[in-house]
Amino acid sequence: MSQAGEKDGGMAGVKGLEAYTLPEGLTSADLIHLKGFASRLNFADPATEALESAILKELAGAKAVVWDGDAYGDTSYTKLIPRLPASTKLIAFRRLSEVESFKASWSAQGMLDRITLYAAPDAITYDKLGIIALQTTQATRVLTFGGGATVRAEFDQSLPHVKFTVFRATRPNAAGNGTEECSLVELESDGKSNLVFASL
């Protein structure tokens, strides 16, 4: 792994967690964490398309967007990332052994020079990676485009002041015989102050 601040394969930088610093001129309030379903989203579906437009409008106001290092995918929430304004700073967190696959994925999108990547130890589980990312950046806003069990685990482990806004993207279930909703929908009736469901 590169030393903190060093250029790495065209990226803005690959750094250890201990080297995290806010992008110059920004505060933690300027950051939004983006999460969601990492596969099987159908962006050609009219309902998904409407949600896509809505979440991109919300993300356009962010000075920096953070995600948990998922690869780019045409059926993943990460399809949203190349559509962010060119001025948006991009920050990702990924496990160390997955840095090369991350670089290959985002290099194919021509975006490596916009991304600063923080590499975490391989022993960290994916839900813990999301929590560590939130703790490291001290951001308080999360937007989720659908989201499965990992998003639910991250919400359950987050501090109460971290606000999750859910965009109700759905996807076909793994068996292909039904629809999967965001894992946070089942909490909607609980009235949690840090859980909001976006309206179109």
Side-chain angles (χ1 to χ4, degrees):
M1 186 173 64
S2 303
Q3 297 297 317
E6 182 181 340
K7 294 285 184 180
D8 192 297
M11 297 191 70
V14 180
K15 309 176 184 182
L17 296 177
E18 72 286 349
Y20 175 79
T21 56
L22 277 165
E24 186 176 356
L26 302 189
T27 70
S28 58
D30 295 318
L31 277 60
I32 291 179
H33 282 240
L34 177 63
K35 304 179 184 294
F37 286 132
S39 64
R40 302 199 306 276
L41 284 165
N42 178 10
F43 284 91
D45 172 69
T48 305
E49 189 175 18
L51 289 165
E52 177 187 14
S53 295
I55 196 170
L56 285 171
K57 183 177 180 179
E58 187 77 13
L59 288 167
K63 295 181 179 178
V65 169
V66 185
W67 79 104
D68 298 343
D70 287 304
Y72 174 85
D74 287 332
T75 64
S76 169
Y77 77 96
T78 57
K79 186 177 181 180
L80 302 168
I81 293 171
R83 298 191 58 195
L84 298 175
S87 59
T88 305
K89 297 183 183 301
L90 301 175
I91 301 168
F93 288 77
R94 191 70 169 164
R95 297 191 300 194
L96 182 59
S97 64
E98 297 165 332
V99 165
E100 292 306 314
S101 61
F102 175 94
K103 288 164 61 178
S105 172
W106 289 100
S107 176
Q109 300 304 311
M111 296 188 65
L112 278 186
D113 61 347
R114 291 184 57 192
I115 301 169
T116 298
L117 178 64
Y118 291 92
D122 288 334
I124 294 174
T125 60
Y126 286 116
D127 59 313
K128 293 294 185 184
L129 179 63
I131 293 299
I132 287 171
L134 282 165
Q135 292 173 341
T136 300
T137 64
Q138 298 184 25
T140 59
R141 296 180 64 198
V142 177
L143 303 187
T144 179
F145 198 71
T150 298
V151 168
R152 172 61 187 270
E154 291 173 351
F155 176 79
D156 289 342
Q157 297 172 68
S158 294
L159 295 173
H161 69 276
V162 177
K163 178 182 175 181
F164 280 64
T165 300
V166 177
F167 290 77
R168 298 171 184 264
T170 62
R171 64 179 180 178
N173 63 19
N177 59 3
T179 299
E180 181 181 355
E181 291 188 311
C182 177
S183 58
L184 297 176
V185 168
E186 62 189 35
L187 301 178
E188 186 173 9
S189 62
D190 292 355
K192 295 180 180 294
S193 61
N194 61 334
L195 181 60
V196 175
F197 292 83
S199 57
L200 298 182

